[in-house]
């Protein structure tokens, strides 16, 4: 297989707006072209869109609007981890030699139909994601003594990190007290513990080793990929204090990259809700089981940006199809040393963890400078 | 409306079942997810085990586990106190506004 890297990126601000999905996607493509050197439309062999939007033929529409005539153009949909699934597909095209460069564009509207998986009848009338989050939260609190204040530190940390992210939905720091007193959604979940569905787009150019230097002097390599789907239905999660798909995808990614978690300098984790980041830290091996909240509090107290430096989903907003790509762009910029005030000094190896539908499926990517 | 949904409306909890593998096929499907044999319909035993629960606006919602590890989310009523692992009885099921509705009660 050929070596594959990320050559360029483009983002739109994550916000609530009236722009249609194609305009959002095109804006991210324009941003990518604006920031790339020597990139022309003719360099792009494949265009992939990642979204839950119901509009048809979007990859071909965006290709036409961008002046690209690719060999192939198609969409990828996998709920909240559509974005990294698009990147994995791009990797496969390039690694196999079917394409030299693939443009992946993810976008979502806040009113997209992907927030609730209607197919999953096992959720009964409790279809909204706050209910599964509440189940994970109570299970973790019961088993490990995690408190609501512990969980509030995830939000406080990520909102504080998001202040330095010019594309973030939130640009306001919240105190622990403000988070604790925000609107209660369930007995263990408050409004500021949650990521915000919003409008936004993100794009990356994935290229082969032999062509990537044309577009950038500092490529970032995709050295590890792991994906796992355990089910579609939430109630097939047998263990509620951990996320099996995260553990298995991380194991595959580390094996492929020949890395361990101790090699990771910076990571983007899928904090759809505060409890998710705590469980993921434990499942990925950053913290021992039951100690994820202690790890988060230490990051907060020392202003350490190692985990979710762009503010995570909680601080940045969560436009489903764009999220995994925006996470990957953050690690791309960190490993290039171009993350400005968010920069984790000396970062050489980074990790992206993106997941869907109550962790029923996950993606883990390992990137290296 | 499919048979599962129609039966829920009649307060019957049914699930697809594979006679070859002798197990419930959940989520419901025309075919067994192990042997791909044709599935038939079977009534589910209405006794369940409490896996996890939480509350919203005073209403208790939970994950309950029925026979063959079939898990669903439902509403618990008449529950002054609850213990993980305790037995529950499915007192009512329904299908409303496109959603399955399961109402359970503790067995003390």
């Amino acid at each position: 297989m050929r070596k594959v890297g990320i050559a360029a990126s483009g983002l739109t601000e994550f916000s609530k707006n009236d722009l249609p999905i194609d305009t959002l996607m095109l804006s991210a493509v324009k941003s990518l072209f604006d920031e790339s050197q020597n990139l022309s439309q003719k360099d792009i062999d494949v265009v992939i869109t990642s979204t839950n939007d119901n509009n048809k033929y979007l990859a071909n529409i965006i290709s036409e609007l961008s002046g690209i005539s690719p060999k192939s153009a198609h969409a990828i949909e996998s709920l909240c981890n559509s974005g990294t699934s698009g990147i994995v597909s791009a990797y496969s095209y390039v690694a196999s030699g079917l394409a030299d460069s693939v443009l992946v564009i993810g976008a979502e509207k806040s009113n997209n139909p992907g927030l609730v998986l209607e197919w999953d009848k096992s959720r009964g009338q409790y279809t909204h994601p706050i209910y599964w989050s509440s189940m994970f939260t109570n299970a973790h609190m019961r088993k490990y003594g995690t408190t609501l204040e512990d969980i509030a530190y995830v939000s406080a940390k990520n909102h504080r990190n998001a202040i330095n992210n010019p594309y973030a939905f939130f640009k306001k720091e919240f105190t622990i007290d403000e988070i604790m007193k925000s609107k209660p959604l369930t007995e263990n979940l408050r409004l500021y513990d949650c990521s915000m569905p919003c409008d936004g787009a993100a794009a990356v150019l994935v290229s082969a080793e032999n062509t990537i230097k044309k577009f950038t002097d500092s490529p970032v390599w995709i050295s590890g990929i792991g994906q796992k789907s355990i089910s579609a239905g939430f109630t097939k999660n047998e263990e509620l204090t951990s996320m099996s798909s995260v553990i298995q995808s991380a194991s595959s990614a580390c094996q492929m990259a020949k890395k361990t978690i101790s090699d990771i300098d910076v990571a983007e984790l899928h904090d759809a809700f505060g409890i998710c980041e705590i469980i993921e830290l434990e499942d990925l091996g950053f913290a021992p089981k039951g100690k994820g909240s202690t790890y988060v509090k230490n990051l907060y107290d020392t202003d350490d940006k190692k985990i979710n430096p762009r503010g995570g989903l909680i601080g940045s907003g969560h436009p489903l199809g764009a999220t995994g790509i925006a996470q990957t762009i953050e690690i791309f910029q960190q490993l290039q040393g171009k993350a400005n005030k968010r920069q984790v000094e000396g970062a050489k190896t980074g990790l992206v963890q993106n997941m869907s539908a109550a962790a029923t499926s996950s993606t883990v990517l390992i990137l290296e400078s | 409306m499919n048979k599962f949904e129609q039966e829920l409306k009649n307060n019957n909890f049914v699930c697809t079942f594979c006679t070859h593998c002798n197990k419930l096929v959940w989520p419901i499907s025309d075919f067994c997810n192990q042997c791909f044999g044709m599935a038939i319909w079977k009534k589910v035993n209405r006794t369940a085990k409490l896996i996890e629960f939480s509350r919203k606006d005073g209403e208790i919602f939970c994950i309950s586990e029925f026979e063959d590890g079939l898990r669903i989310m439902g509403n618990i009523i008449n529950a002054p106190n609850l213990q993980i692992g305790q037995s529950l009885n499915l007192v009512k099921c329904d299908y409303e506004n496109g959603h399955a509705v399961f109402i359970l009660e503790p067995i003390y």
Side-chain angles (χ1 to χ4, degrees):
Chain A
M1 289 200 303
R2 299 197 294 177
K3 197 171 173 182
V4 180
I6 298 173
S9 66
L11 277 163
T12 70
E13 186 175 4
F14 289 4
S15 63
K16 295 258 176 109
N17 60 58
D18 296 326
L19 296 173
I21 191 94
D22 55 341
T23 302
L24 283 173
M25 286 187 170
L26 188 59
S27 300
V29 174
K30 172 180 162 41
S31 166
L32 183 145
F33 269 82
D34 287 347
E35 293 176 19
S36 304
Q37 61 187 37
N38 305 320
L39 176 64
S40 96
Q41 285 90 336
K42 288 179 182 171
D43 293 314
I44 295 170
D45 301 314
V46 175
V47 172
I48 293 172
T49 53
S50 68
T51 182
N52 298 276
D53 194 277
N54 282 336
N55 277 291
K56 304 296 178 224
Y57 219 40
L58 270 172
N60 294 277
I61 291 168
I62 300 306
S63 296
E64 180 174 348
L65 293 173
S66 307
I68 302 166
S69 299
K71 293 176 184 171
S72 176
H74 60 86
I76 297 276
E77 180 277 308
S78 184
L79 289 179
C80 301
N81 74 355
S82 300
T84 49
S85 295
I87 291 172
V88 171
S89 296
Y91 178 97
S92 305
Y93 271 112
V94 175
S96 67
L98 278 173
D100 283 332
S101 290
V102 179
L103 178 63
V104 188
I105 315 129
E108 212 68 69
K109 296 294 296 174
S110 56
N111 60 355
N112 77 80
L115 288 175
V116 172
L117 181 58
E118 294 290 355
W119 173 87
D120 187 3
K121 298 300 180 201
S122 77
R123 299 191 196 191
Q125 71 265 50
Y126 301 103
T127 55
H128 195 279
I130 62 171
Y131 295 108
W132 63 253
S133 168
S134 220
M135 295 285 109
F136 277 112
T137 302
N138 259 12
H140 204 273
M141 290 173 74
R142 180 176 296 105
K143 186 167 184 179
Y144 297 115
T146 306
T147 66
L148 295 182
E149 184 174 323
D150 290 335
I151 297 168
Y153 273 95
V154 175
S155 178
K157 170 181 74 67
N158 290 346
H159 278 294
R160 185 168 68 189
N161 287 350
I163 288 173
N164 293 318
N165 175 0
Y167 299 97
F169 184 89
F170 289 101
K171 294 182 181 67
K172 181 179 181 305
E173 193 164 346
F174 293 97
T175 65
I176 296 295
D177 194 49
E178 285 175 313
I179 295 161
M180 299 280 290
K181 289 179 178 166
S182 64
K183 181 183 175 184
L185 302 179
T186 69
E187 70 174 356
N188 57 27
L189 188 69
R190 298 138 305 189
L191 182 64
Y192 292 159
D193 291 320
C194 308
S195 57
M196 177 71 75
C198 63
D199 308 323
V204 288
L205 182 69
V206 176
S207 293
E209 184 177 25
N210 59 324
T211 56
I212 202 165
K213 286 287 173 69
K214 178 183 172 188
F215 312 124
T216 179
D217 297 327
S218 48
V220 168
W221 305 105
I222 301 172
S223 60
I225 294 175
Q227 291 191 297
K228 185 65 186 176
S229 172
I230 58 165
S231 65
F234 159 57
T235 58
K236 290 284 175 74
N237 273 298
E238 290 193 5
E239 172 58 62
L240 292 167
T241 57
S242 70
M243 296 169 171
S244 171
S245 67
V246 175
I247 294 170
Q248 294 182 63
S249 50
S251 172
S252 299
C254 286
Q255 189 175 4
M256 179 175 166
K258 297 182 175 61
K259 296 285 181 187
T260 66
I261 289 302
S262 62
D263 295 316
I264 303 298
D265 302 311
V266 59
E268 279 286 315
L269 306 189
H270 191 104
D271 57 327
F273 299 95
I275 190 64
C276 297
E277 182 171 312
I278 290 172
I279 293 175
E280 289 152 6
L281 284 165
E282 297 169 2
D283 285 348
L284 291 166
F286 287 104
K289 287 303 291 179
K291 300 294 183 188
S293 57
T294 307
Y295 188 92
V296 169
K297 187 168 186 307
N298 184 53
L299 292 172
Y300 179 81
D301 289 343
T302 58
D303 198 18
D304 186 336
K305 299 189 187 307
K306 177 172 179 171
I307 305 295
N308 284 331
R310 79 186 174 108
L313 282 60
I314 288 176
S316 303
H318 183 22
L320 277 62
T323 285
I325 297 173
Q327 291 179 299
T328 305
I329 291 172
E330 177 64 20
I331 300 302
F332 173 59
Q333 293 175 343
Q334 289 282 346
L335 301 186
Q336 285 187 315
K338 296 178 179 175
N340 300 320
K341 289 181 179 175
R342 308 184 310 281
Q343 185 66 47
V344 173
E345 287 307 317
K348 302 284 184 206
T349 305
L351 179 147
V352 177
Q353 181 264 324
N354 185 203
M355 67 185 190
S356 290
T360 51
S361 68
S362 291
T363 304
V364 170
L365 306 177
I366 294 177
L367 308 181
E368 296 181 62
S369 57
Chain B
M1 197 177 283
N2 62 32
K3 182 175 174 66
F4 174 70
E5 295 158 357
Q6 282 173 339
E7 292 289 343
L8 285 179
K9 280 201 86 65
N10 294 325
N11 194 22
N12 291 321
F13 184 19
V14 299
C15 182
T16 41
F17 180 80
C18 176
T19 53
H20 182 259
C21 299
N22 195 33
K23 72 177 187 75
L24 292 177
V25 178
W26 177 251
I28 60 160
S29 174
D30 291 335
F31 306 104
C32 173
N33 61 2
Q34 193 167 306
C35 71
F36 290 102
M38 285 289 287
I40 63 168
W41 290 97
K42 178 182 179 296
K43 273 198 172 185
V44 178
N45 185 315
R46 295 175 82 103
T47 302
K49 183 172 77 172
L50 179 60
I51 301 298
E52 191 52 79
F53 68 98
S54 183
R55 293 177 178 84
K56 177 175 170 53
D57 302 328
E59 178 179 318
I60 303 171
F61 56 97
C62 73
I63 300 175
S64 51
E65 183 175 294
F66 291 78
E67 58 180 305
D68 270 357
L70 186 166
R71 290 184 177 189
I72 52 103
M73 291 186 75
N75 167 218
I76 302 181
I77 58 170
N78 302 326
N81 52 68
L82 285 169
Q83 296 281 332
I84 297 300
Q86 78 168 86
S87 296
L88 302 169
N89 181 43
L90 178 66
V91 291
K92 186 171 187 280
C93 50
D94 202 345
Y95 193 76
E96 292 175 351
N97 304 317
H99 299 131
V101 176
F102 299 95
I103 299 172
L104 302 108
E105 204 172 48
I107 300 170
Y108 292 112

